[in-house]
Amino acid sequence: MLSRLGALLQEAVGAREPSIDLLEAFVEHWKGITNYYIESTDENTPAKKTDIPWRLKQMLDILVYEEKQQAAAGEAGPCLEYLLQHKILETLCTLGKAEYPPGMRQQVLQFFSKVLAQVQHPLLHYLNVHRPVQKLLRLGATVPGSLTEKEEVQFTTVLCSKIQQDPALLTYILEGKKTTSRKKVSREATAPLREAASVRDKDHPQSKAPDSGTCGAWASSAQLPAETEEPDGPIGESSLITSLIGLCKSKKGRVALKAQENLLLLVRVASQAAATCLVQSSACPAIVERLCQLHQSLPSSLDPADIAAVEGISWRLPSAPSDEASFPGKEALAAFLGWFDYCDHLITEAHAVVSDALAKAVAEKLFVEILQPQLLHVSEQSVLTSTALLTVMLRQLRAPALLREAVAFLLGVDQQPAAPEDSPRTLCAHLIRHCDHLSDEISIATLRLFEELLQKPHEQIVRSLILCHLEGRAYVARGSPEPESYEDTLDLEEDPYFTDSFLDSGFQPSAKPPPAPATNPDGKTAVTEIVNSFLCLVPEEAKTSAFLEETGYDTYVHDAYGLFQECSSRVTPWGWPLAPPPLDPHEPERPFFEGPFLQMLFDRMSRILEQVIGDLMQRIQRVPQFPGKLLLVRRQLMGQVPGEQLDHQTFLQGVVVLEEFCKELAAIAFVKFPPHGPHLHLSKPPEGHV
């Protein structure tokens, strides 16, 4: 086996003394490549059918073998010295740009990738390596959907892996560029090379390379075009970032996914200096520009209902599940949401410096410059579409830095309580007004937006919308004695929803619950009374759940308890006190304003009572066979019987929904203040939860 390996190496290098003949063989193969361009007259023969791929393979094998034979680790051998001094990579980059013979760019990309991956000696800090690397990256970035996408993504994979191993290399790869004349390049291009060579000469004597003959003459003339791009001081447009973003747009799914993984690898750099360098490059603007382009490609005819129904979009699988119904614009919507999910993932995984910069760029370019004008537009379609889209984006959003920017965008940074007379100057104020819009569609869409927002683990959301108006406890009357019993506050004679005509009709309100202790030892109003205050909103004659063996509000208790535990876990890290602060008796009483958000919710809830309960009993008398029809509608809503059109169907559906809504409120009150009796055996919330 060893003798066979030796024979193969002898054949590969054609030498008896590796330390000397390796260099001769290396130069000979390089001469063979350059001689092809001098002697060949056939411009149509593909590169893979010439001896160029074989010669490049031999040069690579020689470099790898030479490095293994080096006595001192880290030293550059004669062949590697020759590669650097004679700017072989520069010349190959020029040949790849010319794409002659056809397919040469593919060969060059493969050679670059293998040299950088297999040669262990650090290379990317050499000018004659990272400069052609930058040029080669720019070649691929300028050709969308090129035939060399596979080789390009392999090339970027090697570069990103090298940068992850040594973040200091990022400054060499992400350098900006400027255009200089040939005269300046001719005068200055070799200066860094001479400096690098002098440093290496101090370490070890350089082996004299054989004269490259026509190779050197041809290369020197081929690699200096009329204008040459050189690294500049400030970080500017990055060829690596541009190349990766271009590959992310590939129609080939595997290529696009690998490019996204490479970009993710790049933003994970552990070094603060490297992360700062990345922020100063074109990385964040390029990533966000792609996001904005995908948003602009969304058709204006998108149905908000279709947007709201889309789920399961991931950057690793940027397409809607196949079982979902197709609709116009579905692919464009999936592409946008997939890239937004990718941005969210980048911000989650990136270095803190990169994460903050990218999150701010998304907020500025997408939220403020694109979505805000649409949310404030006079066109209802624009408002509906942008609101539905923002709701889906909030549902996908996970990155803390991006959530912070989204909250600042939607709610602002000022947490001062609003006054009732304040005009809507902020986006938040306009959105709250949209919740009570003349268009029911806009109202529902905006309420869903706030529903998603309130489920996000960010304290400022609850504080800005609700708590900043309640913290002063102005809702408590100073100096007024609290009622001894909840029953003392019940007066049906004065209740506008239980009028004289209602009492005279023969219907009586549901029986009051058995007497319960007025207050618990801790001073809280008895939960039984609170629960029944919700259940009594709907009279017994309008309730139907008992006829279907449903036991009342306790059917919602399990879900409400799970929701309560989830909310408790979410707020635990915020350090909220377990009890409200005591009132200052010397503080003057001031008018209480619940804030625009709660005011809007209470206004809507009060109208629900007005539109259903206010004249419920009178309307019941006008519906023939009311109990039977109400029970039928409940079964229809539960899917137990097929739907059929009935008289007064909207009214009947409203009665059923109102009953369920009151049961939900009662269940929430029950799990928040569980009674001392053994009503339901539910586990207690974790210790320390609110």
Side-chain angles (χ1 to χ4, degrees):
M1 182 67 181
L2 290 175
S3 61
R4 183 182 178 186
L5 178 60
L8 289 173
L9 289 173
Q10 287 279 345
E11 180 182 352
V13 302
R16 296 178 182 175
E17 297 291 334
S19 62
I20 299 175
D21 294 344
L22 281 177
L23 181 57
E24 292 181 0
F26 187 83
V27 173
E28 188 63 31
H29 286 301
W30 179 236
K31 281 185 178 181
I33 293 174
T34 56
N35 284 339
Y36 173 85
Y37 290 88
I38 297 173
E39 299 171 358
S40 176
T41 57
D42 186 359
E43 298 182 357
N44 298 320
T45 303
K48 62 183 180 180
K49 292 188 177 181
T50 68
D51 65 349
I52 293 177
W54 176 78
R55 292 191 179 278
L56 289 174
K57 176 67 167 58
Q58 300 307 308
M59 292 170 66
L60 173 67
D61 290 344
I62 291 171
L63 289 172
V64 173
Y65 180 76
E66 176 189 65
E67 186 173 55
K68 292 179 180 179
Q69 301 305 308
Q70 289 297 116
E75 285 190 359
C79 297
L80 184 56
E81 293 270 359
Y82 184 88
L83 178 92
L84 297 172
Q85 278 194 345
H86 290 77
K87 303 181 182 179
I88 289 179
L89 296 181
E90 289 267 12
T91 304
L92 286 173
C93 184
T94 303
L95 299 178
K97 181 178 182 180
E99 188 67 336
Y100 172 70
M104 187 60 186
R105 185 175 302 168
Q106 181 184 39
Q107 302 299 325
V108 172
L109 283 165
Q110 290 176 345
F111 182 74
F112 270 61
S113 299
K114 292 176 180 178
V115 168
L116 292 174
Q118 297 183 33
V119 174
Q120 302 304 310
H121 185 85
L123 293 176
L124 284 169
H125 64 283
Y126 289 113
L127 175 64
N128 285 344
V129 176
H130 67 250
R131 182 168 60 185
V133 162
Q134 291 173 344
K135 292 180 179 179
L136 195 57
L137 285 169
R138 288 196 290 272
L139 288 183
T142 59
V143 187
S146 68
L147 299 177
T148 58
E149 282 184 337
K150 178 182 176 182
E151 289 73 25
E152 290 170 29
V153 80
Q154 290 173 345
F155 184 40
T156 59
T157 299
V158 173
L159 291 176
C160 292
S161 299
K162 291 291 183 181
I163 291 171
Q164 187 187 43
Q165 296 167 13
D166 183 7
L169 293 175
L170 196 64
T171 57
Y172 295 97
I173 305 302
L174 292 186
E175 280 184 310
K177 60 181 186 296
K178 67 179 180 180
T179 303
T180 55
S181 66
R182 178 192 297 181
K183 180 178 181 181
K184 183 176 180 181
V185 173
S186 301
R187 183 173 62 251
E188 299 179 358
T190 58
L193 179 61
R194 289 195 301 268
E195 181 180 350
S198 65
V199 173
R200 293 193 300 273
D201 289 343
K202 294 177 183 178
D203 297 334
H204 59 87
Q206 180 177 317
S207 302
K208 182 179 180 181
D211 182 17
S212 59
T214 56
C215 167
W218 187 92
S220 63
S221 62
Q223 63 190 2
L224 290 177
E227 289 188 341
T228 305
E229 290 173 336
E230 282 202 317
D232 197 4
I235 301 300
E237 181 183 351
S238 165
S239 50
L240 177 57
I241 299 298
T242 305
S243 178
L244 286 171
I245 295 295
L247 291 168
C248 288
K249 301 176 184 178
S250 173
K251 300 298 183 183
K252 301 174 183 175
R254 296 179 65 179
V255 170
L257 179 60
K258 189 61 180 177
Q260 289 174 310
E261 291 174 347
N262 290 342
L263 188 54
L264 181 60
L265 202 64
L266 201 61
V267 302
R268 282 174 174 165
V269 288
S271 164
Q272 176 88 8
T276 303
C277 175
L278 195 61
V279 168
Q280 293 174 348
S281 74
S282 61
C284 294
I287 293 169
V288 177
E289 182 184 9
R290 171 66 175 159
L291 183 64
C292 295
Q293 289 173 347
L294 289 170
H295 181 274
Q296 291 170 356
S297 68
L298 294 175
S300 58
S301 59
L302 266 178
D303 188 340
D306 290 332
I307 297 176
V310 170
E311 293 181 354
I313 302 296
S314 166
W315 68 275
R316 292 188 178 276
L317 188 63
S319 60
S322 57
D323 57 341
E324 290 188 3
S326 181
F327 55 85
K330 179 180 178 180
E331 291 185 4
L333 177 62
F336 169 75
L337 293 176
W339 191 259
F340 179 78
D341 182 63
Y342 178 62
C343 291
D344 182 70
H345 195 72
L346 284 176
I347 295 170
T348 303
E349 297 289 332
H351 188 283
V353 173
V354 182
S355 177
D356 289 343
L358 185 54
K360 290 181 184 299
V362 171
E364 178 184 351
K365 296 298 181 182
L366 180 63
F367 294 166
V368 176
E369 295 185 8
I370 295 179
L371 289 179
Q372 180 166 305
Q374 296 178 357
L375 291 168
L376 301 177
H377 204 277
V378 295
S379 165
E380 289 191 4
Q381 181 64 29
S382 176
V383 173
L384 276 171
T385 303
S386 56
T387 303
L389 190 62
L390 189 56
T391 303
V392 175
M393 292 163 63
L394 277 177
R395 189 187 307 156
Q396 290 189 201
L397 195 153
R398 297 291 182 272
L402 187 55
L403 176 59
R404 181 180 66 244
E405 295 296 331
V407 170
F409 164 68
L410 288 169
L411 306 182
V413 294
D414 184 15
Q415 296 185 14
Q416 297 301 319
E421 64 275 7
D422 286 351
S423 59
R425 296 186 301 270
T426 64
L427 175 62
C428 179
H430 282 282
L431 290 175
I432 291 175
R433 291 186 67 184
H434 285 177
C435 291
D436 208 3
H437 200 274
L438 291 175
S439 165
D440 287 340
E441 288 182 302
I442 291 180
S443 297
I444 293 172
T446 313
L447 284 168
R448 285 173 177 163
L449 173 65
F450 278 105
E451 181 183 14
E452 285 294 340
L453 187 62
L454 285 166
Q455 294 183 53
K456 291 300 176 183
H458 197 289
E459 184 179 9
Q460 186 184 341
I461 299 172
V462 182
R463 186 168 298 280
S464 178
L465 290 176
I466 301 171
L467 292 186
C468 68
H469 301 279
L470 306 181
E471 286 175 326
R473 301 188 69 193
Y475 51 86
V476 178
R478 304 300 200 266
S480 301
E482 295 187 7
E484 294 184 0
S485 171
Y486 179 76
E487 292 183 4
D488 296 340
T489 65
L490 295 178
D491 189 353
L492 297 183
E493 299 284 343
E494 300 177 2
D495 194 325
Y497 300 129
F498 295 92
T499 59
D500 291 340
S501 60
F502 160 64
L503 295 173
D504 294 340
S505 65
F507 291 93
Q508 296 296 325
S510 56
K512 295 181 181 179
T519 57
N520 289 332
D522 59 2
K524 294 187 175 68
T525 304
V527 67
T528 305
E529 296 175 352
I530 299 176
V531 167
N532 281 284
S533 69
F534 293 115
L535 297 180
C536 288
L537 285 173
V538 180
E540 290 294 325
E541 292 78 9
K543 295 179 181 179
T544 51
S545 56
F547 294 99
L548 297 179
E549 299 183 356
E550 296 180 7
T551 55
Y553 77 95
D554 51 341
T555 56
Y556 289 97
V557 167
H558 186 274
D559 290 340
Y561 187 67
L563 180 62
F564 176 71
Q565 283 189 312
E566 180 185 340
C567 293
S568 299
S569 300
R570 188 182 305 151
V571 304
T572 297
W574 302 343
W576 285 358
L578 297 180
L583 293 173
D584 184 357
H586 304 291
E587 183 179 351
E589 187 172 351
R590 60 181 184 274
F592 170 62
F593 176 53
E594 65 269 37
F597 184 70
L598 286 180
Q599 183 186 50
M600 174 272 298
L601 290 178
F602 292 155
D603 286 347
R604 289 187 63 90
M605 291 177 68
S606 66
R607 287 201 300 274
I608 291 177
L609 298 179
E610 292 173 2
Q611 297 164 0
V612 179
I613 293 182
D615 60 346
L616 176 61
M617 301 312 299
Q618 292 89 342
R619 294 187 64 180
I620 284 178
Q621 298 176 69
R622 296 195 294 267
V623 179
Q625 301 177 341
F626 172 77
K629 289 182 178 179
L630 187 64
L631 185 60
L632 177 61
V633 167
R634 171 175 282 275
R635 285 174 171 163
Q636 288 177 349
L637 292 174
M638 297 177 64
Q640 295 180 353
V641 295
E644 60 176 286
Q645 192 65 34
L646 300 173
D647 294 336
H648 310 283
Q649 185 158 14
T650 301
F651 168 67
L652 296 171
Q653 289 176 342
V655 173
V656 173
V657 170
L658 179 64
E659 180 187 357
E660 298 305 303
F661 177 60
C662 293
K663 286 160 60 177
E664 283 192 89
L665 293 176
I668 293 172
F670 178 82
V671 299
K672 187 177 179 183
F673 302 110
H676 296 290
H679 282 63
L680 286 177
H681 300 288
L682 298 173
S683 59
K684 294 182 179 180
E687 198 67 24
H689 285 198
V690 178

